[in-house]
């Protein structure tokens, strides 16, 4: 089980990303607009740099929904590899069966 502080930090980051998503998108449109003047693009870059670092979606990290483990997480299930294996053996994940050949 991951430390509760790490899980809470990740949740706080997700909230900050959601809060600044619209503002970040508007600035990125201006920056990538070929018809905008260089001054407008420069000002948009400066405003983008003023946003909090945690407002960038790149800083989010997938975590296991049960344990909070950050490594070995399968996106499709939202579970870490060890918990996915345990639940698959018990047959609690619909459509997932253990491979045998």
């Amino acid at each position: 089980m991951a430390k509760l502080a790490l899980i809470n930090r990740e949740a706080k980051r997700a909230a900050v990303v959601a809060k600044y998503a619209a503002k970040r998108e508007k600035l990125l449109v201006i920056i990538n607009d070929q018809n905008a003047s260089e001054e407008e693009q420069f000002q948009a870059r400066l405003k983008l740099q003023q946003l909090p670092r945690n407002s960038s979606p790149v800083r989010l990290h997938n975590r296991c929904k049960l344990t909070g483990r950050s490594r070995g997480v399968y996106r499709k299930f939202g579970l870490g590899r060890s918990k996915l294996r345990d639940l698959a053996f018990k047959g609690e994940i619909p459509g997932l069966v253990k491979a045998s050949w």
Side-chain angles (χ1 to χ4, degrees):
M1 184 85 181
K3 287 186 178 179
L4 190 59
L6 297 178
I7 297 170
N8 291 340
R9 182 188 307 160
E10 199 65 36
K12 188 190 295 185
R13 276 190 187 138
V16 172
V17 167
K19 178 180 177 183
Y20 287 97
K23 184 181 284 191
R24 180 174 282 279
E25 185 62 33
K26 287 179 186 177
L27 292 173
L28 287 174
V29 166
I30 294 171
I31 291 170
N32 294 326
D33 185 15
Q34 296 297 323
N35 297 328
S37 68
E38 287 187 25
E39 183 62 30
E40 289 175 338
Q41 290 177 339
F42 181 72
Q43 292 300 323
R45 275 194 212 98
L46 289 178
K47 288 180 182 177
L48 186 65
Q49 289 175 356
Q50 296 300 317
L51 294 179
R53 281 189 174 184
N54 283 337
S55 69
S56 175
V58 174
R59 292 176 66 96
L60 291 177
H61 207 274
N62 293 335
R63 287 193 171 270
C64 176
K65 301 292 184 201
L66 297 178
T67 61
R69 181 180 167 86
S70 63
R71 296 181 178 194
V73 177
Y74 288 85
R75 287 182 185 179
K76 184 174 182 177
F77 303 104
L79 297 172
R81 58 182 175 77
S82 58
K83 286 298 173 184
L84 181 68
R85 184 172 188 267
D86 291 342
L87 295 175
F89 281 146
K90 293 177 186 175
E92 296 179 6
I93 300 177
L96 187 67
V97 292
K98 183 181 182 302
S100 60
W101 59 91

